[in-house]
Amino acid sequence: MSSTKTSDWWRGDVDWETPAGQLLRRFFATLPPDQPFQIVLYGSGPLQLTLNRTWLSADVDFFSEDDADFDELVHQAGMSKDQGSFYLEPGFRLSFRTTPQMRERAKKVQLGNVTVTIPHPLDILIGKLDRLDVKDFLAFRRVIDLTGHPTKDEFLHELQNAVDLFRPAFEEETPNRYPENAVRLWRELWQSDLDVRRDIIAPALARRRHGDAPPDYKRALAD
């Protein structure tokens, strides 16, 4: 892996004239002007805002940085799921599972009294591995078609950095789908096999033990 960051290919320029951008700006105009708001976008909205305005999505997903409940505000603005075919979908921070690097490489934009965090496409794609249905898989293909990234090696490096996503689920949760979906992604997107323990977990744990030194992959596998 070269010293160039795997995320350097994204500039993060935001097109607020996209459908997602216009919907968000109309919503922000309805919020109390004397109160600051901080939101994080996730799902496909950031891909439309920063990569291609023709990217279709039925909704714009977001959550509040301070865990504020936006459901009533969205409903009062007439932009909830039951009020139109293109709507806002308030969530919460645990709805978006992605890499620890998300905040350091995200784009932050100030619109009036609203601070908007727009994650890097890499973090959006990693979040889509939780489900990886047909439209999520198509999102991978389209990002790669538009940018040439992520490559297989780049995405493998990102998943190693996000190794904790591959931990077993709590008993009360549905099973963790990241391991099986990563294997399926590799097979369908890159026509290649992926061994989650060998290719993701062992190198990540070796790197964690040795700090930033190059990991000893053979020793990690032997362990």
Side-chain angles (χ1 to χ4, degrees), residues 17-172:
E17 295 305 316
T18 57
Q22 293 182 38
L23 184 69
L24 286 166
R25 285 190 298 140
R26 289 201 305 271
F27 174 59
F28 297 160
T30 70
L31 297 176
D34 57 346
Q35 179 180 346
F37 295 91
Q38 299 185 60
I39 69 167
V40 179
L41 304 181
Y42 64 105
S44 294
L47 302 179
Q48 184 187 109
L49 284 167
T50 65
L51 287 183
N52 191 309
R53 64 175 296 112
T54 65
W55 201 297
L56 297 179
S57 180
D59 60 7
V60 179
D61 299 296
F62 73 95
F63 64 85
S64 169
E65 285 276 28
D66 57 3
D67 296 322
D69 186 353
F70 270 86
D71 287 339
E72 185 59 30
L73 290 170
V74 169
H75 185 76
Q76 290 175 0
M79 299 179 183
S80 59
K81 186 174 184 177
D82 59 352
Q83 293 175 304
S85 57
F86 186 46
Y87 55 91
L88 296 175
E89 186 71 74
F92 55 101
R93 63 180 66 245
L94 294 181
S95 303
F96 183 37
R97 300 179 64 205
T98 189
T99 61
Q101 287 80 20
M102 188 276 283
R103 295 187 184 281
E104 68 186 54
R105 62 190 176 197
K107 178 81 170 183
K108 277 203 171 187
V109 181
Q110 189 74 35
L111 290 179
N113 58 325
V114 184
T115 303
V116 185
T117 298
I118 304 172
H120 192 288
L122 278 170
D123 298 303
I124 296 297
L125 292 178
I126 289 172
K128 288 181 177 294
L129 269 183
D130 186 35
R131 181 178 58 183
L132 199 63
D133 64 13
V134 173
K135 69 176 184 178
D136 299 315
F137 181 75
L138 291 176
F140 276 89
R141 285 199 178 279
R142 192 163 186 195
V143 171
I144 292 171
D145 288 344
L146 289 169
T147 70
H149 300 276
T151 66
K152 181 172 67 172
D153 288 343
E154 286 172 345
F155 204 62
L156 181 63
H157 183 73
E158 292 298 325
L159 293 185
Q160 291 169 359
N161 288 339
V163 66
D164 290 326
L165 292 175
F166 293 86
R167 291 183 180 275
F170 294 119
E171 290 182 4
E172 296 83 1

